Amino acid sequence: MQKVPTDMDQLSQVLKLMGDKTRLTISALLMKRELCVCELLEVFDVSQPSISQHLRKLKDAGLVKETRKGQWIYYSLNKESESYPLIENVLSFTPDVADKIAQIDKSNPTQRCGC
Amino acid sequence: MQKVPTDMDQLSQVLKLMGDKTRLTISALLMKRELCVCELLEVFDVSQPSISQHLRKLKDAGLVKETRKGQWIYYSLNKESESYPLIENVLSFTPDVADKIAQIDKSNPTQRCGC
DNA sequence: TGTATATATAAGTGAATAGTTATATATTTA
DNA sequence: TAAATATATAACTATTCACTTATATATACA
């Protein structure tokens, strides 16, 4: 886990983004696998626009990428980001989110085929 | 650098505290040595109450301790805090603050004896 | 004991923020 | 091409937040 010194402004900006419980949890989930908005929606008690707005902030900071796959837009952590080492490090302190991933898999909002 | 999994609320609260540039820099300075308010005041463009209020938030979260030494109250990072491993880790990403420490030493607001 | 210094607290203000509902845009499918 | 689904954006609101000035409290020292 490499440590790239960043300037104080950029570092505090990233930490502020991670300082929101919803965004922190979204990031922890994206560390497991890419997810679309409707999947994230299964594990948070907020509206769809709220999720979209959080993802937009993470994207604007270069922390996540998006790829459209037909109807869905999948979000993932941007490993090319200068801040990725920090993100990875911070996320190592988060509690396990396997239960939330399981919840998404169970509700399966995108009708993902299991085979 | 030990990783203690924390609950998501506590973790996001600490990250939010570190997500402010002034508090992040204060914390980086306290990693070097304990400092009083009047010393911190030398390296920030904010009022004395502003510094005190930031320190209060860090103290309320258990991240810093204070010790009165006569006229001055010295603040230091609380190594006994459950969040200290995280703090230490996050601060390893901050740029060097040796210049700011030098600036404090030079202005020497507490008339500290150099011998 | 009175004055200076260090720090904290109170009160107020403007900006930022996270959420909401309503609506627009894009894609898929009947 | 029309309806359904997924997502984004716009507009608004309530709350949080960092800062300020004014003032209180605590210690040191003449």
PDB file of all heavy atoms in Angstrom, chain A residues 4-5 22 29 38-39 42 45-46 50 61 68-69 75 86 106:
ATOM      1  N   VAL A   4       1.410   8.091  -1.272  1.00  0.00           N
ATOM      2  CA  VAL A   4       1.777   9.218  -2.122  1.00  0.00           C
ATOM      3  C   VAL A   4       1.419  10.510  -1.401  1.00  0.00           C
ATOM      4  O   VAL A   4       0.252  10.761  -1.145  1.00  0.00           O
ATOM      5  CB  VAL A   4       1.024   9.172  -3.468  1.00  0.00           C
ATOM      6  CG1 VAL A   4       1.399  10.362  -4.327  1.00  0.00           C
ATOM      7  CG2 VAL A   4       1.284   7.874  -4.198  1.00  0.00           C
ATOM      8  N   PRO A   5       2.409  11.320  -1.029  1.00  0.00           N
ATOM      9  CA  PRO A   5       2.049  12.563  -0.340  1.00  0.00           C
ATOM     10  C   PRO A   5       1.260  13.461  -1.279  1.00  0.00           C
ATOM     11  O   PRO A   5       1.610  13.632  -2.442  1.00  0.00           O
ATOM     12  CB  PRO A   5       3.395  13.209   0.019  1.00  0.00           C
ATOM     13  CG  PRO A   5       4.448  12.319  -0.511  1.00  0.00           C
ATOM     14  CD  PRO A   5       3.827  11.227  -1.298  1.00  0.00           C
ATOM     15  N   THR A  22     -22.849   7.654   4.116  1.00  0.00           N
ATOM     16  CA  THR A  22     -23.380   7.032   2.897  1.00  0.00           C
ATOM     17  C   THR A  22     -22.274   6.845   1.853  1.00  0.00           C
ATOM     18  O   THR A  22     -22.107   5.765   1.296  1.00  0.00           O
ATOM     19  CB  THR A  22     -24.520   7.879   2.308  1.00  0.00           C
ATOM     20  OG1 THR A  22     -25.534   8.038   3.307  1.00  0.00           O
ATOM     21  CG2 THR A  22     -25.131   7.212   1.091  1.00  0.00           C
ATOM     22  N   LEU A  29     -18.515  -0.644  -0.579  1.00  0.00           N
ATOM     23  CA  LEU A  29     -19.213  -1.609  -1.431  1.00  0.00           C
ATOM     24  C   LEU A  29     -18.530  -1.714  -2.799  1.00  0.00           C
ATOM     25  O   LEU A  29     -18.367  -2.808  -3.343  1.00  0.00           O
ATOM     26  CB  LEU A  29     -20.676  -1.197  -1.605  1.00  0.00           C
ATOM     27  CG  LEU A  29     -21.562  -1.406  -0.360  1.00  0.00           C
ATOM     28  CD1 LEU A  29     -22.869  -0.643  -0.486  1.00  0.00           C
ATOM     29  CD2 LEU A  29     -21.820  -2.892  -0.131  1.00  0.00           C
ATOM     30  N   CYS A  38     -29.315   1.332  -8.976  1.00  0.00           N
ATOM     31  CA  CYS A  38     -30.474   0.581  -8.466  1.00  0.00           C
ATOM     32  C   CYS A  38     -30.052  -0.522  -7.498  1.00  0.00           C
ATOM     33  O   CYS A  38     -30.816  -0.918  -6.632  1.00  0.00           O
ATOM     34  CB  CYS A  38     -31.335   0.044  -9.605  1.00  0.00           C
ATOM     35  SG  CYS A  38     -30.598  -1.300 -10.547  1.00  0.00           S
ATOM     36  N   GLU A  39     -28.807  -0.984  -7.631  1.00  0.00           N
ATOM     37  CA  GLU A  39     -28.292  -1.964  -6.663  1.00  0.00           C
ATOM     38  C   GLU A  39     -27.967  -1.282  -5.340  1.00  0.00           C
ATOM     39  O   GLU A  39     -28.319  -1.780  -4.264  1.00  0.00           O
ATOM     40  CB  GLU A  39     -27.059  -2.669  -7.224  1.00  0.00           C
ATOM     41  CG  GLU A  39     -27.385  -3.663  -8.334  1.00  0.00           C
ATOM     42  CD  GLU A  39     -26.144  -4.284  -8.980  1.00  0.00           C
ATOM     43  OE1 GLU A  39     -25.117  -3.596  -9.126  1.00  0.00           O
ATOM     44  OE2 GLU A  39     -26.218  -5.472  -9.351  1.00  0.00           O
ATOM     45  N   GLU A  42     -30.751  -0.555  -2.897  1.00  0.00           N
ATOM     46  CA  GLU A  42     -31.271  -1.649  -2.066  1.00  0.00           C
ATOM     47  C   GLU A  42     -30.760  -1.597  -0.626  1.00  0.00           C
ATOM     48  O   GLU A  42     -31.380  -2.149   0.267  1.00  0.00           O
ATOM     49  CB  GLU A  42     -30.882  -3.007  -2.663  1.00  0.00           C
ATOM     50  CG  GLU A  42     -31.471  -3.299  -4.028  1.00  0.00           C
ATOM     51  CD  GLU A  42     -32.995  -3.500  -3.962  1.00  0.00           C
ATOM     52  OE1 GLU A  42     -33.487  -3.940  -2.908  1.00  0.00           O
ATOM     53  OE2 GLU A  42     -33.669  -3.184  -4.964  1.00  0.00           O
ATOM     54  N   ASP A  45     -31.311   3.846   2.940  1.00  0.00           N
ATOM     55  CA  ASP A  45     -32.646   4.405   3.150  1.00  0.00           C
ATOM     56  C   ASP A  45     -32.733   5.830   2.625  1.00  0.00           C
ATOM     57  O   ASP A  45     -33.150   6.746   3.336  1.00  0.00           O
ATOM     58  CB  ASP A  45     -32.991   4.395   4.654  1.00  0.00           C
ATOM     59  CG  ASP A  45     -33.454   3.024   5.087  1.00  0.00           C
ATOM     60  OD1 ASP A  45     -34.014   2.294   4.245  1.00  0.00           O
ATOM     61  OD2 ASP A  45     -33.252   2.670   6.264  1.00  0.00           O
ATOM     62  N   VAL A  46     -32.304   6.032   1.417  1.00  0.00           N
ATOM     63  CA  VAL A  46     -32.388   7.357   0.814  1.00  0.00           C
ATOM     64  C   VAL A  46     -32.954   7.209  -0.590  1.00  0.00           C
ATOM     65  O   VAL A  46     -33.056   6.098  -1.124  1.00  0.00           O
ATOM     66  CB  VAL A  46     -31.011   8.052   0.753  1.00  0.00           C
ATOM     67  CG1 VAL A  46     -30.481   8.369   2.142  1.00  0.00           C
ATOM     68  CG2 VAL A  46     -30.027   7.236  -0.056  1.00  0.00           C
ATOM     69  N   SER A  50     -30.535  10.965  -4.325  1.00  0.00           N
ATOM     70  CA  SER A  50     -29.508  11.119  -3.311  1.00  0.00           C
ATOM     71  C   SER A  50     -28.294  10.237  -3.620  1.00  0.00           C
ATOM     72  O   SER A  50     -27.143  10.697  -3.555  1.00  0.00           O
ATOM     73  CB  SER A  50     -30.091  10.786  -1.931  1.00  0.00           C
ATOM     74  OG  SER A  50     -29.113  10.967  -0.934  1.00  0.00           O
ATOM     75  N   ALA A  61     -14.547  14.074  -8.133  1.00  0.00           N
ATOM     76  CA  ALA A  61     -13.230  14.062  -7.484  1.00  0.00           C
ATOM     77  C   ALA A  61     -12.307  13.024  -8.118  1.00  0.00           C
ATOM     78  O   ALA A  61     -11.167  12.859  -7.694  1.00  0.00           O
ATOM     79  CB  ALA A  61     -13.394  13.777  -5.995  1.00  0.00           C
ATOM     80  N   ARG A  68     -21.436   2.511 -18.839  1.00  0.00           N
ATOM     81  CA  ARG A  68     -22.806   2.133 -19.150  1.00  0.00           C
ATOM     82  C   ARG A  68     -22.822   0.718 -19.709  1.00  0.00           C
ATOM     83  O   ARG A  68     -21.984   0.360 -20.551  1.00  0.00           O
ATOM     84  CB  ARG A  68     -23.423   3.105 -20.163  1.00  0.00           C
ATOM     85  CG  ARG A  68     -24.877   2.782 -20.474  1.00  0.00           C
ATOM     86  CD  ARG A  68     -25.515   3.785 -21.407  1.00  0.00           C
ATOM     87  NE  ARG A  68     -25.993   4.978 -20.724  1.00  0.00           N
ATOM     88  CZ  ARG A  68     -27.165   5.067 -20.113  1.00  0.00           C
ATOM     89  NH1 ARG A  68     -27.969   4.013 -20.053  1.00  0.00           N
ATOM     90  NH2 ARG A  68     -27.542   6.195 -19.560  1.00  0.00           N
ATOM     91  N   LYS A  69     -23.747  -0.076 -19.206  1.00  0.00           N
ATOM     92  CA  LYS A  69     -23.962  -1.407 -19.766  1.00  0.00           C
ATOM     93  C   LYS A  69     -25.445  -1.504 -20.073  1.00  0.00           C
ATOM     94  O   LYS A  69     -26.235  -1.868 -19.202  1.00  0.00           O
ATOM     95  CB  LYS A  69     -23.557  -2.504 -18.785  1.00  0.00           C
ATOM     96  CG  LYS A  69     -22.048  -2.529 -18.522  1.00  0.00           C
ATOM     97  CD  LYS A  69     -21.614  -3.717 -17.685  1.00  0.00           C
ATOM     98  CE  LYS A  69     -20.111  -3.670 -17.433  1.00  0.00           C
ATOM     99  NZ  LYS A  69     -19.647  -4.742 -16.519  1.00  0.00           N
ATOM    100  N   TYR A  75     -20.851   1.706 -11.584  1.00  0.00           N
ATOM    101  CA  TYR A  75     -19.826   2.521 -10.953  1.00  0.00           C
ATOM    102  C   TYR A  75     -18.775   1.631 -10.325  1.00  0.00           C
ATOM    103  O   TYR A  75     -19.093   0.559  -9.785  1.00  0.00           O
ATOM    104  CB  TYR A  75     -20.457   3.424  -9.890  1.00  0.00           C
ATOM    105  CG  TYR A  75     -21.233   4.565 -10.501  1.00  0.00           C
ATOM    106  CD1 TYR A  75     -22.570   4.405 -10.863  1.00  0.00           C
ATOM    107  CD2 TYR A  75     -20.621   5.788 -10.743  1.00  0.00           C
ATOM    108  CE1 TYR A  75     -23.285   5.445 -11.452  1.00  0.00           C
ATOM    109  CE2 TYR A  75     -21.325   6.828 -11.327  1.00  0.00           C
ATOM    110  CZ  TYR A  75     -22.651   6.653 -11.676  1.00  0.00           C
ATOM    111  OH  TYR A  75     -23.339   7.675 -12.266  1.00  0.00           O
ATOM    112  N   LEU A  86      -4.781   6.206  -0.839  1.00  0.00           N
ATOM    113  CA  LEU A  86      -5.430   6.704   0.381  1.00  0.00           C
ATOM    114  C   LEU A  86      -6.785   6.037   0.599  1.00  0.00           C
ATOM    115  O   LEU A  86      -7.090   5.555   1.698  1.00  0.00           O
ATOM    116  CB  LEU A  86      -5.602   8.224   0.294  1.00  0.00           C
ATOM    117  CG  LEU A  86      -6.477   8.881   1.345  1.00  0.00           C
ATOM    118  CD1 LEU A  86      -5.871   8.752   2.736  1.00  0.00           C
ATOM    119  CD2 LEU A  86      -6.727  10.349   1.007  1.00  0.00           C
ATOM    120  N   LYS A 106     -29.311 -10.872  -3.287  1.00  0.00           N
ATOM    121  CA  LYS A 106     -30.602 -11.521  -3.034  1.00  0.00           C
ATOM    122  C   LYS A 106     -31.749 -10.776  -3.732  1.00  0.00           C
ATOM    123  O   LYS A 106     -32.594 -11.381  -4.374  1.00  0.00           O
ATOM    124  CB  LYS A 106     -30.858 -11.569  -1.519  1.00  0.00           C
ATOM    125  CG  LYS A 106     -32.009 -12.491  -1.135  1.00  0.00           C
ATOM    126  CD  LYS A 106     -32.137 -12.605   0.380  1.00  0.00           C
ATOM    127  CE  LYS A 106     -33.387 -13.381   0.775  1.00  0.00           C
ATOM    128  NZ  LYS A 106     -33.705 -13.230   2.195  1.00  0.00           N
TER     129      LYS A 106
END
